[in-house]
Amino acid sequence: MRSVREVSIWPGVGVAIILLALIPAVGLAFLAVTEARHVAETSEQLQTLEATTDELDGKLNELELDDEQLAGVDATFNDLAQEIERQRADADSHGIGIALGLAAVSIMTVAGAALATRWVVRPLADLAATAEDLRIGNTVDEVEIRGPGEVRTVARILNEAVTNLRQAETQAIALADGRLDEISAHEPAAGSIGESLTTAVERLRLTLGEREEYRRRLAHEASHDALTGISNRSASLDHLNGALARAARVETDVAVFFVDLDDFKQVNDSFGHAAGDALLQEISKRLVDSCRDGDLVGRIGGDEFLVIAEPVNGEEEARMLAQRLLNLVSAPFRMGDLEVMPGASVGAALAGGRTKSSDVIHDADLAVYEAKEGGRGRAAFCDAEMRARLLSEADLDTAIRRGLTNGEFELHFQPTYHLSTGVLDGAEALLRWNRANEGTVSPARFIEFAERSDLISEIDTWVTQRAVAHLARWQQDPVLRHLKLAVNVSGRHLMRGDLSDNLLSAIKATGADPRMLTVEVTESALLDDFVTAGDHLKRLRHRGVTVAIDDFGTGYTSLAHLRRLPVDVLKVDRTFTSNLHRPDDLSLVKLVIETGHLLGLEVTVEGVEHFQQEDILRRLGADRLQGYRFGYPMSELDLRNHVMAVTRKIAART
């Protein structure tokens, strides 16, 4: 960096020396000019005097003077010659003086330049070099304080600036590294600038400290649930990934538990969301207290918790831990004067050497689903048998959805017989599945499976739309136009709230007569949510759709419920029909028929297979009969032919 100094300093030094040298040089030149002028004038006067003397001497030679006059003239010339010599001596002395003056001035100039260089120029050069180093960011040392007073003052100020900058650099590095405690914020730098710098650094230190605290708080909030304070879903999954990796290295096992609260919605609905939040906080605390050191509890959903336990010694210990969690969660919980009995279902799974968290979580999810399906308030463990069975069900789910899309499903129709008129006056739509590469699948197999999920709603939508389309065609067919069509709907679909919209939209789109359509809902479905079911059915009934309770007698519907429900028809379950020879069953069927009539309802009895049953039910006052005696489930074409055949028989008898 010396080249920078030389380039930037020496032009200034040269200028200073020239300026210092010019001052005496100008004085010397002025003196020399003055003396030269004086010598020239003296020489000119001497030459004039000598010329005059010579002229007088010539004139005297022409004059005839006596000895006394000549002596006087000689004395005069001698005085004049002495004066001329004296003037010449003065001129010579002036010349010597000028020479000596020139020599003295030269010496003084050199000495002054040297003194200026040492006393002024060099300190200024050091100041300039230091300032230049500061400007370009080089590391600098303090400058030596020397030179004139003004230069020394500047040097002291520059040294303070260097000290302040060094302190600022040290503190800045500490701030950048996050070493806030190492900053000497209480050691003020010199001068007002140093004081300002210290204040600025202290404020910056406080700001960075607040930012660091804010960052830590954000990091905590990003990985923890705001309500319960335990790990959230993302942090729980990260922990599980780490646990699986550790288990793989040391050949141990990890257990994952899904804890799903039962009927948590009822707590919110009955006691308010504040009570629900308090319950969630209490459950999380219980789970944390029940876990061992190193285990993790996380909240992964509204009322769903995840517990990760490591290490676990096999399936038996995992089952024991699952039951322990279930017992702790299910203990009574007091909220003020209220006592809540929280219920939960727990699903457990072992990693079993697997390293993908999604596989283990999937197994735990399958297990908690199994626990809920088994009646809730249970703990289930996902083993190989459960996994195979649930895998088969998942395959069934996929196959059903594919079958709905690919046309594997179709509707068959079983006729109903009107006892008073003796004609077939209606039919019930029944779903049939011809599964690809397998053949006919029993409805009992796939309907029961679909009822456990919203898949049944998709099936219902497909069935109702196809049934309404068939009904619209029947209205244009002289053989089938008098038949009413009944279609079964799921209680789950009814409670979902879009059944009436879907059905009425299909009726509007096809132009079918809603008065010829009957919607059948099971008695047990109505009991799940009596009010909601009644509201949806009222809407359909208001548009002319007939409403029937299917499988009546199996759900313990009270007379009070029957009076309030928008119902037109009761369908007695086939389990009573098959035992009409038993007095108890006969009495029960009679009671149902009489009760229905008392409430103004028609009564249809299912499962009629032979003449004796028909005869008994006729005497008991049933309105319609349905069963194999009057026809098996059949295709639309077969139904048309069957109706025509029965009509011909009736006509032949009359």
Side-chain angles (χ1 to χ4, degrees), residues 291-486:
C291 288
R292 311 165 303 173
D293 292 339
D295 295 347
L296 177 131
V297 178
R299 184 184 177 202
I300 60 173
D303 58 350
E304 297 176 337
F305 296 86
L306 183 70
V307 179
I308 302 170
E310 60 170 325
V312 174
N313 186 21
E315 179 180 327
E316 189 61 32
E317 185 177 5
R319 291 182 181 273
M320 180 188 68
L321 289 174
Q323 191 61 45
R324 179 183 176 187
L325 293 174
L326 179 64
N327 294 339
L328 287 172
V329 170
S330 302
F333 170 54
R334 294 202 64 83
M335 293 187 296
D337 296 334
L338 299 174
E339 183 176 79
V340 178
M341 299 293 293
S345 299
V346 179
L350 282 176
R354 291 174 293 178
T355 57
K356 291 182 62 176
S357 60
S358 58
D359 293 339
V360 187
I361 288 178
H362 180 260
D363 282 359
D365 192 32
L366 293 177
V368 77
Y369 178 80
E370 180 75 5
K372 285 185 174 295
E373 286 295 308
R376 303 187 177 187
R378 300 172 58 249
F381 183 84
C382 184
D383 53 16
E385 180 182 351
M386 179 189 293
R387 196 178 298 114
R389 176 170 53 81
L390 294 177
L391 184 62
S392 175
E393 291 184 353
D395 179 65
L396 181 60
D397 182 283
T398 302
I400 292 174
R401 297 179 189 276
R402 185 187 303 115
L404 291 173
T405 303
N406 295 342
E408 297 177 9
F409 287 90
E410 61 180 353
L411 292 182
H412 281 199
F413 306 93
Q414 186 174 23
T416 57
Y417 178 73
H418 198 288
L419 281 172
S420 62
T421 62
V423 299
L424 300 178
D425 67 342
E428 179 182 359
L430 301 172
L431 185 62
R432 295 293 180 263
W433 182 18
N434 295 314
R435 186 175 180 179
N437 303 321
E438 185 173 329
T440 303
V441 180
S442 170
R445 177 185 172 192
F446 68 85
I447 293 296
E448 182 181 356
F449 167 75
E451 285 279 5
R452 299 202 296 262
S453 69
D454 275 340
L455 178 59
I456 191 63
S457 298
E458 297 184 32
I459 293 176
D460 266 4
T461 300
W462 188 94
V463 170
T464 53
Q465 290 178 349
R466 297 305 187 281
V468 171
H470 280 286
L471 182 60
R473 284 201 301 272
W474 291 2
Q475 292 172 194
Q476 308 302 320
D477 189 328
V479 176
L480 302 176
R481 64 189 309 167
H482 68 285
L483 295 183
K484 296 189 68 172
L485 179 60

Side-chain angles (χ1 to χ4, degrees), residues 12 33 126 158 163 181 271 372 582 636:
V33 170
D126 290 342
L158 186 59
T163 301
D181 296 335
F271 307 112
K372 285 185 174 295
R582 291 168 37 178
E636 184 179 56

Side-chain angles (χ1 to χ4, degrees), residues 419 586 612-622:
L419 281 172
L586 179 64
Q612 289 80 3
Q613 293 172 328
E614 176 189 352
D615 185 59
I616 294 174
L617 292 170
R618 186 188 300 274
R619 286 186 281 109
L620 292 177

Side-chain angles (χ1 to χ4, degrees), residues 196-373:
S196 300
L197 178 63
T198 300
T199 302
V201 170
E202 176 64 14
R203 289 179 179 175
L204 182 58
R205 186 183 71 84
L206 293 175
T207 300
L208 290 179
E210 293 173 354
R211 189 188 71 174
E212 181 64 18
E213 176 61 26
Y214 181 65
R215 186 193 65 79
R216 285 194 294 267
R217 187 166 66 252
L218 285 180
H220 182 272
E221 292 175 355
S223 60
H224 289 75
D225 177 59
L227 176 64
T228 62
I230 60 178
S231 297
N232 58 17
R233 182 181 183 88
S234 176
S236 300
L237 295 180
D238 289 342
H239 182 88
L240 178 57
N241 287 326
L244 294 177
R246 289 188 293 271
R249 288 195 299 269
V250 298
E251 296 183 354
T252 58
D253 214 340
V254 177
V256 175
F257 305 91
F258 256 132
V259 181
D260 193 343
L261 301 185
D262 297 333
D263 301 322
F264 177 72
K265 182 177 181 297
Q266 292 184 4
V267 176
N268 280 333
D269 294 343
S270 301
F271 307 112
H273 289 282
D277 290 345
L279 177 59
L280 291 174
Q281 291 171 338
E282 174 65 19
I283 294 298
S284 65
K285 182 178 182 300
R286 293 181 183 183
L287 291 174
V288 171
D289 292 342
S290 69
C291 288
R292 311 165 303 173
D293 292 339
D295 295 347
L296 177 131
V297 178
R299 184 184 177 202
I300 60 173
D303 58 350
E304 297 176 337
F305 296 86
L306 183 70
V307 179
I308 302 170
E310 60 170 325
V312 174
N313 186 21
E315 179 180 327
E316 189 61 32
E317 185 177 5
R319 291 182 181 273
M320 180 188 68
L321 289 174
Q323 191 61 45
R324 179 183 176 187
L325 293 174
L326 179 64
N327 294 339
L328 287 172
V329 170
S330 302
F333 170 54
R334 294 202 64 83
M335 293 187 296
D337 296 334
L338 299 174
E339 183 176 79
V340 178
M341 299 293 293
S345 299
V346 179
L350 282 176
R354 291 174 293 178
T355 57
K356 291 182 62 176
S357 60
S358 58
D359 293 339
V360 187
I361 288 178
H362 180 260
D363 282 359
D365 192 32
L366 293 177
V368 77
Y369 178 80
E370 180 75 5
K372 285 185 174 295
E373 286 295 308

